[in-house]
Amino acid sequence: MDQRNLKQQLETLRCEHRDLDSAIAALFTQPNADELQIARLKKRKLRLRDEIAMIEDQLIPDIIA
């Protein structure tokens, strides 16, 4: 993938990560929150964080000191 595609994908993943954060926060405010759904959203959020880190590593070149 070229730099432009990686940056675009990174922004998409960051947006989805923020959306999941908002969804999880909204579920916590409900009195009868579905714990299974919250757990699934948190797991998805962690996978997104890993994908974001992987793309960021590809965008930032390694500098050998």
Side-chain angles (χ1 to χ4, degrees), residues 7-47:
K7 287 180 181 180
Q8 194 173 30
Q9 185 179 6
L10 183 61
E11 186 56 38
T12 302
L13 292 174
R14 285 180 176 161
C15 183
E16 187 177 349
H17 190 269
R18 284 190 301 268
D19 290 346
L20 281 173
D21 206 24
S22 298
I24 291 168
L27 283 173
F28 272 122
T29 62
Q30 295 179 355
N32 296 326
D34 183 3
E35 295 296 324
L36 183 58
Q37 185 179 12
I38 292 172
R40 287 180 180 150
L41 291 176
K42 284 183 175 183
K43 196 173 195 177
R44 173 69 182 147
K45 188 176 165 190
L46 288 173
R47 280 193 302 253

